[in-house]
Amino acid sequence: MGPDVPLLNDYKQEFFLKRFPQTVLGGPRFKLGYCAPPYIYVNQIILFLTPWVLGGVGTLLYQLDIMKDYYTAALSGGLMFVTALILQMTNVYAKQKTVRVERMQIQNTLTDEDEFEFSSCVGSETVKFIIPGKKYIINTVFHSLLAGVLCGLGTWYLLPNRITLLYSNIGGTVMIFVFGWVTICIGEYSLIINTATETAAFQALDTYEITALMRPFYIFVFIAVDLAHRFAVNTAILEQTNQILHIIFLFLPFLWAMGILPPLDALFLWGMEQLLEFGLGGSPMSSNTKLLVMFLISAGTAIASYFIPSTLGVILFMTGFGFILSLNLSEIAFAFKHTMISHLASSKSKNMHRGLRIQFGWREFIFYLTVLTFALLEASLLHQFAGFSSFSKASPQAIASYILIILLIIMWILREIQRVYLFGVFRNPFYPKDVRTVTVFMEKQRRLMKVGVVRRILLTLVSPFAMIAFLSLDRSLQNLHSVSVCIGFTRIFRMVWQNTENALLDIVVVSIAQMLVFNPDLWWNRSLDTGIRLLLVGILRDRLLQFVSKLQFAIAILLTSWTEKKQRRKSTATLITLNVVFFPILLTFIAISALLSSPLLPLFTLPIFLIGFPRPIRSWPGPVGAAACVCSDTVYYQQMVPSLAVALQSALAAGSLGLSLPGSHYLCRFQDRLMWILVLEKGFTYCGVNIKGLELQETSCHAAEAHRVDEIFEMAFEHQEHTKILSPNHHFGHILTPCTVLPVRLYSDARNVLSGIIDSHENLKHLKDDFIKVLVWMLVQYCYKKSKTLESPGNADKNKKGSFLENQHSGAVERSRPLREEDSFSVDTIEDWTDDSDIFDLEPSGRMKDRKEAGQLATTPKVHLSIPGSVETQSQGVPQEMSPEDKLHRAVVLGLPAVDKGKQQEVLPRVEFSCCYSELLSIPEEWRTAPVPASKVNEMRQRFPEEWYHFILSQLDFFHLKEKPSNLLEDLMKDKALKDLYVHGVLSCCFGLFGLDNTVPAPSHVFRAYTGGIPWSVGLDWLTGKPELFQLALKAFR
């Protein structure tokens, strides 16, 4: 943002000054972007005060003892209903009057609203501007009726005598009467005249005109408490509540303007979600329809359990329905529908649905049925034979408590072991130190996955049965037809399966409290049964975790507003000081935000905190993916989502992503792609997530944010200096805590631009050294992969000799030829390229293997490659077929040197290794026959990157060897003969690509080598005679 950038520019300031007063007052437009006649403002003021005038008539008649209070309320309400209906009919008449002739409005693109031309005080344009009217006739009648009811009840609510009875203070009565009527006028204007633009917006479009009902609804809530107090005799709690709400009633306009009170749709969805999760033991749902259906079914289950006459029946009913409702019922219903269609429909319909992927089959059905059967048997048997004993340190329920405590500790340890940081503070010594070597990382990750499998078994099968044993032994279940027992135990019997980890924690907390407190006269033991205790502990746990996370967020905003240069402003020091001074008020805001489960909003990212309105966890009203923006970047995310979903499934099941609950957010990063993952719902063996692909880095601010994410991830997963045992997390307290690395197969869209690189003298200086390092890595990897086909050093020697003799024979007659134009990339090759293909693989597949190879027909090699960076390896030892065109060329070529077939190739002396396993990494002998002088060999020994060579060897695992010594890698590093082989191999490639001189290569040479047009030389002639080595060198260069 910067210290000198204004929070609102001139245009936004003007817009804010026009829009905010309109939001506060409920809709009147007293500031326009153009000049308007005075009667426009006068008319709006009159309409704004009309409810007060009509209510004042009734109030005056009551104060003069002419009418009773309820008659005055009815009179004021009737007058308001007639007035509202007249106003709406006036708008309908004005629209019909001007519907035949429409005036073309000349719109000014610099203004956010159209300019109106007003002809008179009550003209059609004036009426349509002040009273926009309703879109539906039914709303015209309904809103008018609601306005009358609101005015009547508001008059009853704000009668001065009534207020005086509550407070016995004339000054307070006057204040509440005046400002209370201002609140009612705001609600009436928003309902019947012009709906204000609300700060709290949940739906993008108000299709059914629900926004107009928001402010009257909250007024009715306050009036409802007052009516309850009127008709309830001698209720002290209601009286105190009514006194408090009368004062809060005056601040409703402020709460509406600040966006603290939610819209009606968000309020009801949030309420259903909270009741479903904390009152009925369910989980938030991924759609509004699923939420409503699940809420009704769950509430019906709790109500039905109240009427069951026997305790055994109650336990079986709660256990069975708790398990069934925790399953993914929508997936089961979809699978059942698919099965019925497959059996009943025609073959055409069968083919239509054949491509659908059904994740629920007979195997899952049998598994769920088995688990349900054992759960019912366990619950019934334990309750029947051991469920009547009171709780003591040696009772069966106490023994189940000890088992649950042990399970909680074990599962907690197994979960933390799989994360990169223990508790987010210290580096996990069991986590792989470096993720850059994929094979080594995957092998070490498999060990952690074994830990994850053990944890999943404990979480899915062992813990639920242990918790059912604890609950079945509880004596509270003996109390039939108890509302608290029905609500509490229906909730926890379902939560055992729906949210096993939190249920385990809650039961352990309650059991520990029960062990420590045996006093029966204590309120905890006397007034509450086990089900209600678990409900209270669950709510307290959730709100406490939210309070801690929001407090951490507030402290992070306070600190970064000063430490981050772009967030630091001139007012930052003052704001931080005010937050420190008024820290109790800040804590109150955070506590209210946590209690309401609503967001904590920093205004303009400054340390000025506001409370957002409560909303469902998924934070948007429509179905998942409805608001997705389809653009050119979409294809990258569409391709990777299936693989990412599979990887997420394994990670969530194993627990490597930590405690994943509905509402948990995860951020995934790959190259320039960012994915935002939100957990929507969770149940027994399933988890529903929403994956959002963020736009690729097109702006500077997005690039800066992505750079920060990359910095945190690289420090956690790649930097060797930060991977020491129990090394601290340098970003502890950051809102982004690294969890793990997910192996996902996907396409890369990395863009390589060589301008500014190959023409830089400094980069060209280091080109050869970088090339040597890459080539060493590729040579070692090539030999290592080749060694996997060998079982022992003796076998390696035998195979090596055989391959050497074969290569001697084929090397005398076989040479690579320049690729002709017909061999370039064509449409036919696309058929062999699939998602599982690797264009950089050394083993070609499909038709690439069937390409023919002929002998070398020219002395100057010319290489044409299809894709820069791709590799096409030519096979050796394969019988070759020669085309008639090649035979013709062979017959007419003149002037080529004759080949002495009787001449034997030079046989190199056998290399003596100090380690018998070095033969597995030995490079082929023909790769060491380059005609280079001994002085260059000694020079290469000096330049050879020995530390890098040792590092590459240290990353090899040799898992394919059945028996290997523990010091195998150390012996390989000490073997000088093996090192000399790689020195010769690297020198041979440098000789072929760069020659023997030590000059810095020119940019033109680098570019030609990158594109495949390498200038001819003696070294290149030798190198192209070794096709595999040439392709390795070319790939390393690129």
Side-chain angles (χ1 to χ4, degrees):
M1 183 181 292
D4 300 325
V5 179
L7 295 176
L8 294 174
N9 56 28
D10 296 337
Y11 168 74
K12 292 179 180 178
Q13 287 179 8
E14 182 183 358
F15 178 81
F16 176 78
L17 293 177
K18 286 191 298 183
R19 182 59 61 85
F20 189 70
Q22 181 183 351
T23 301
V24 173
L25 296 177
R29 288 178 277 188
F30 293 131
K31 182 177 177 58
L32 305 175
Y34 50 91
C35 294
Y39 55 76
I40 296 296
Y41 306 104
V42 174
N43 287 347
Q44 292 185 86
I45 293 174
I46 292 173
L47 292 175
F48 181 80
L49 297 177
T50 297
W52 196 347
V53 174
L54 299 179
V57 173
T59 302
L60 183 61
L61 293 176
Y62 172 74
Q63 293 297 122
L64 295 177
D65 291 332
I66 298 176
M67 298 178 66
K68 296 292 184 180
D69 53 355
Y70 43 86
Y71 288 126
T72 60
L75 176 63
S76 299
L79 292 175
M80 187 65 212
F81 170 67
V82 173
T83 305
L85 207 56
I86 292 173
L87 292 174
Q88 292 298 315
M89 291 300 105
T90 304
N91 173 265
V92 173
Y93 175 75
K95 287 182 178 180
Q96 291 178 349
K97 184 179 179 181
T98 58
V99 72
R100 296 178 181 176
V101 179
E102 291 287 343
R103 177 175 296 176
M104 299 296 296
Q105 298 289 340
I106 302 175
Q107 297 183 359
N108 185 358
T109 56
L110 299 179
T111 61
D112 64 306
E113 297 175 350
D114 297 337
E115 295 185 9
F116 287 81
E117 295 181 3
F118 305 104
S119 57
S120 64
C121 179
V122 290
S124 59
E125 292 293 338
T126 304
V127 173
K128 289 192 297 182
F129 174 77
I130 297 176
I131 310 173
K134 307 297 180 181
K135 291 187 290 185
Y136 306 104
I137 298 298
I138 188 173
N139 283 340
T140 300
V141 179
F142 176 67
H143 289 184
S144 299
L145 179 62
L146 198 63
V149 175
L150 179 62
C151 184
L153 292 178
T155 303
W156 204 6
Y157 184 72
L158 294 175
L159 289 175
N161 288 351
R162 176 67 178 171
I163 301 174
T164 304
L165 289 176
L166 285 175
Y167 297 100
S168 302
N169 189 313
I170 300 298
T173 301
V174 173
M175 293 286 292
I176 292 176
F177 179 79
V178 173
F179 290 102
W181 268 110
V182 171
T183 301
I184 292 179
C185 288
I186 290 174
E188 291 278 11
Y189 198 98
S190 179
L191 175 64
I192 204 65
I193 307 297
N194 184 22
T195 304
T197 302
E198 298 291 350
T199 308
F202 188 64
Q203 296 279 357
L205 298 175
D206 186 20
T207 307
Y208 302 104
E209 298 177 318
I210 301 176
T211 307
L213 304 175
M214 171 185 167
R215 301 193 182 198
F217 171 80
Y218 288 105
I219 295 176
F220 279 128
V221 170
F222 283 76
I223 294 175
V225 176
D226 181 71
L227 293 178
H229 179 219
R230 285 174 186 268
F231 296 107
V233 182
N234 298 328
T235 307
I237 297 178
L238 274 178
E239 182 178 359
Q240 294 176 359
T241 304
N242 197 15
Q243 290 175 347
I244 295 172
L245 291 182
H246 266 78
I247 298 175
I248 298 177
F249 187 78
L250 310 182
F251 295 95
L252 277 180
F254 172 78
L255 299 178
W256 288 327
M258 291 294 102
I260 297 175
L261 297 178
L264 296 186
D265 48 357
L267 176 66
F268 286 110
L269 291 174
W270 171 80
M272 279 195 297
E273 190 176 84
Q274 295 293 308
L275 287 175
L276 178 62
E277 184 176 2
F278 298 105
L280 301 171
S283 166
M285 295 286 115
S286 58
S287 67
N288 297 339
T289 305
K290 291 178 65 175
L291 177 62
L292 179 61
V293 172
M294 185 58 69
F295 176 77
L296 294 177
I297 295 175
S298 303
T301 302
I303 295 172
S305 64
Y306 180 82
F307 299 99
I308 298 177
S310 67
T311 57
L312 182 60
V314 169
I315 290 180
L316 293 177
F317 181 82
M318 291 179 177
T319 304
F321 270 90
F323 175 79
I324 293 172
L325 293 179
S326 66
L327 302 177
N328 191 0
L329 297 181
S330 60
E331 180 70 22
I332 295 175
F334 178 75
F336 177 76
K337 179 181 177 182
H338 170 74
T339 304
M340 295 300 295
I341 291 176
S342 300
H343 284 291
L344 300 178
S346 62
S347 59
K348 182 178 180 180
S349 299
K350 293 180 182 178
N351 295 333
M352 184 186 305
H353 293 276
R354 188 174 296 173
L356 297 175
R357 183 183 177 188
I358 306 300
Q359 297 182 354
F360 185 85
W362 287 107
R363 185 176 58 182
E364 289 78 8
F365 176 76
I366 294 174
F367 170 73
Y368 291 148
L369 185 61
T370 304
V371 172
L372 176 60
T373 303
F374 278 103
L376 294 175
L377 286 174
E378 180 194 19
S380 59
L381 292 176
L382 287 176
H383 179 75
Q384 189 70 22
F385 297 105
F388 299 96
S389 61
S390 59
F391 187 86
S392 62
K393 292 185 177 180
S395 63
Q397 193 176 16
I399 296 174
S401 302
Y402 301 142
I403 296 174
L404 291 176
I405 294 173
I406 295 173
L407 280 174
L408 178 65
I409 296 174
I410 293 175
M411 289 175 55
W412 179 67
I413 293 174
L414 294 180
R415 186 183 69 202
E416 290 296 326
I417 283 177
Q418 298 181 77
R419 305 184 66 184
V420 64
Y421 287 117
L422 298 175
F423 322 112
V425 182
F426 299 107
R427 172 80 187 191
N428 184 2
F430 301 102
Y431 198 83
K433 293 185 178 180
D434 192 0
V435 301
R436 290 174 291 186
T437 307
V438 179
T439 54
V440 178
F441 170 78
M442 290 298 296
E443 185 60 35
K444 294 183 178 179
Q445 186 73 4
R446 289 190 191 98
R447 302 173 186 174
L448 293 180
M449 291 303 293
K450 295 176 182 177
V451 176
V453 170
V454 175
R455 179 185 176 277
R456 186 178 184 183
I457 294 174
L458 294 178
L459 180 67
T460 307
L461 297 177
V462 180
S463 298
F465 284 99
M467 286 187 282
I468 288 177
F470 175 87
L471 296 173
S472 302
L473 296 171
D474 195 85
R475 292 192 64 187
S476 302
L477 290 170
Q478 304 296 329
N479 302 325
L480 288 177
H481 309 299
S482 170
V483 176
S484 61
V485 170
C486 291
I487 293 176
F489 279 92
T490 301
R491 170 188 174 274
I492 193 60
F493 267 107
R494 178 177 177 180
M495 194 176 174
V496 161
W497 307 99
Q498 189 91 49
N499 196 347
T500 307
E501 293 182 81
N502 283 342
L504 181 60
L505 178 61
D506 295 346
I507 293 178
V508 166
V509 171
V510 170
S511 61
I512 290 176
Q514 204 165 357
M515 292 176 187
L516 297 178
V517 181
F518 284 101
N519 186 4
D521 297 329
L522 195 65
W523 168 78
W524 177 264
N525 291 328
R526 186 183 69 255
S527 304
L528 302 177
D529 57 66
T530 305
I532 299 299
R533 293 175 199 164
L534 290 169
L535 189 148
L536 294 177
V537 169
I539 295 176
L540 183 63
R541 166 189 48 77
D542 180 80
R543 296 311 191 245
L544 185 61
L545 290 177
Q546 288 198 38
F547 178 80
V548 172
S549 63
K550 287 177 170 61
L551 180 61
Q552 178 188 355
F553 171 71
I555 294 175
I557 292 292
L558 283 171
L559 294 178
T560 54
S561 64
W562 180 262
T563 56
E564 295 291 335
K565 185 178 179 181
K566 291 186 177 181
Q567 291 183 235
R568 190 185 307 165
R569 301 180 61 85
K570 296 178 181 178
S571 59
T572 301
T574 305
L575 292 175
I576 293 176
T577 304
L578 290 175
N579 276 277
V580 174
V581 173
F582 296 101
F583 192 69
I585 298 178
L586 176 61
L587 284 180
T588 304
F589 276 30
I590 296 174
I592 294 174
S593 176
L595 287 175
L596 296 177
S597 188
S598 60
L600 186 67
L601 306 176
L603 186 63
F604 297 109
T605 68
L606 296 174
I608 303 174
F609 297 99
L610 303 177
I611 301 174
F613 66 89
R615 66 200 74 184
I617 282 180
R618 64 181 182 275
S619 302
W620 66 87
V624 176
C629 177
V630 179
C631 59
S632 58
D633 300 336
T634 306
V635 63
Y636 297 108
Y637 294 105
Q638 287 178 338
Q639 184 274 328
M640 70 177 298
V641 161
S643 300
L644 179 61
V646 173
L648 279 174
Q649 185 178 7
S650 302
L652 288 170
S656 56
L657 297 182
L659 184 60
S660 57
L661 301 173
S664 300
H665 293 265
Y666 297 98
L667 192 67
C668 296
R669 177 71 169 158
F670 174 75
Q671 289 181 353
D672 56 352
R673 275 171 265 182
L674 276 171
M675 285 134 288
W676 193 274
I677 298 175
L678 171 62
V679 180
L680 298 176
E681 60 177 292
K682 193 174 182 182
F684 184 66
T685 67
Y686 86 95
C687 181
V689 299
N690 177 36
I691 302 176
K692 292 183 180 180
L694 306 185
E695 61 179 343
L696 304 184
Q697 303 171 25
E698 299 294 341
T699 60
S700 58
C701 61
H702 289 185
E705 295 164 357
H707 176 72
R708 183 65 168 175
V709 174
D710 291 337
E711 179 184 347
I712 296 175
F713 283 159
E714 288 174 3
M715 187 170 291
F717 299 115
E718 296 184 8
H719 291 179
Q720 291 291 327
E721 61 272 15
H722 298 293
T723 57
K724 298 178 182 178
I725 296 179
L726 297 179
S727 60
N729 179 11
H730 293 271
H731 295 280
F732 173 70
H734 196 278
I735 200 67
L736 183 63
T737 302
C739 292
T740 187
V741 175
L742 299 180
V744 180
R745 190 174 183 87
L746 44 81
Y747 290 125
S748 170
D749 65 330
R751 302 173 179 87
N752 297 322
V753 180
L754 297 180
S755 58
I757 299 177
I758 63 174
D759 54 355
S760 172
H761 186 68
E762 293 297 325
N763 290 335
L764 293 174
K765 276 185 178 181
H766 301 288
L767 179 65
K768 285 187 178 180
D769 294 333
D770 295 338
F771 169 73
I772 291 173
K773 288 185 177 181
V774 177
L775 184 60
V776 170
W777 183 85
M778 295 195 67
L779 289 175
V780 173
Q781 292 297 321
Y782 173 84
C783 297
Y784 175 71
K785 290 179 180 178
K786 196 174 181 181
S787 70
K788 288 186 176 181
T789 59
L790 307 177
E791 297 180 358
S792 63
N795 248 348
D797 185 47
K798 191 181 299 182
N799 292 341
K800 182 179 173 184
K801 288 182 179 179
S803 63
F804 174 68
L805 293 176
E806 183 182 357
N807 288 335
Q808 267 192 328
H809 177 72
S810 62
V813 297
E814 214 173 81
R815 292 291 183 269
S816 68
R817 61 170 177 85
L819 297 175
R820 298 192 307 273
E821 187 176 358
E822 297 84 41
D823 295 325
S824 61
F825 184 77
S826 65
V827 179
D828 296 336
T829 61
I830 299 179
E831 299 175 3
D832 301 324
W833 185 40
T834 63
D835 285 355
D836 297 329
S837 302
D838 188 356
I839 63 173
F840 297 108
D841 198 356
L842 290 178
E843 294 294 334
S845 61
R847 299 182 182 180
M848 299 295 291
K849 290 183 177 180
D850 299 332
R851 290 190 176 182
K852 59 183 179 178
E853 299 173 1
Q856 183 176 356
L857 299 178
T859 56
T860 304
K862 183 179 181 182
V863 182
H864 298 279
L865 293 173
S866 57
I867 303 175
S870 66
V871 178
E872 298 178 4
T873 306
Q874 300 176 8
S875 60
Q876 295 183 2
V878 180
Q880 303 185 7
E881 297 179 0
M882 190 173 297
S883 65
E885 182 185 0
D886 294 336
K887 293 181 180 180
L888 177 63
H889 281 295
R890 185 177 184 183
V892 300
V893 168
L894 302 176
L896 294 179
V899 178
D900 186 1
K901 295 184 178 180
K903 182 180 177 181
Q904 298 294 328
Q905 289 189 347
E906 178 184 0
V907 179
L908 299 177
R910 179 176 177 81
V911 180
E912 298 293 337
F913 296 110
S914 61
C915 175
C916 61
Y917 288 91
S918 297
E919 296 180 6
L920 298 176
L921 298 180
S922 175
I923 64 177
E925 294 185 7
E926 66 271 15
W927 291 4
R928 294 178 275 129
T929 59
V932 292
S935 59
K936 293 297 179 179
V937 176
N938 295 328
E939 185 179 339
M940 178 55 69
R941 285 196 182 98
Q942 300 297 325
R943 296 181 59 184
F944 189 76
E946 190 168 354
E947 293 183 2
W948 173 250
Y949 170 71
H950 290 167
F951 169 76
I952 296 173
L953 292 180
S954 66
Q955 302 302 308
L956 304 179
D957 44 39
F958 290 99
F959 288 118
H960 57 281
L961 297 182
K962 296 180 180 178
E963 297 179 0
K964 59 179 179 180
S966 59
N967 57 346
L968 171 60
L969 297 180
E970 296 180 3
D971 293 343
L972 291 176
M973 294 179 191
K974 295 178 182 178
D975 195 337
K976 294 183 178 180
L978 182 63
K979 175 188 169 184
D980 286 340
L981 290 184
Y982 283 96
V983 169
H984 280 84
V986 170
L987 179 59
S988 301
C989 294
C990 290
F991 171 59
L993 294 180
F994 300 105
L996 293 177
D997 53 347
N998 294 327
T999 59
V1000 177
S1004 59
H1005 180 89
V1006 176
F1007 178 75
R1008 293 180 64 184
Y1010 185 84
T1011 56
I1014 307 174
W1016 180 87
S1017 64
V1018 177
L1020 181 62
D1021 192 18
W1022 176 88
L1023 185 59
T1024 53
K1026 314 293 182 294
E1028 284 186 290
L1029 181 61
F1030 174 67
Q1031 297 298 330
L1032 285 173
L1034 197 59
K1035 181 179 177 182
F1037 182 83
R1038 287 168 174 163

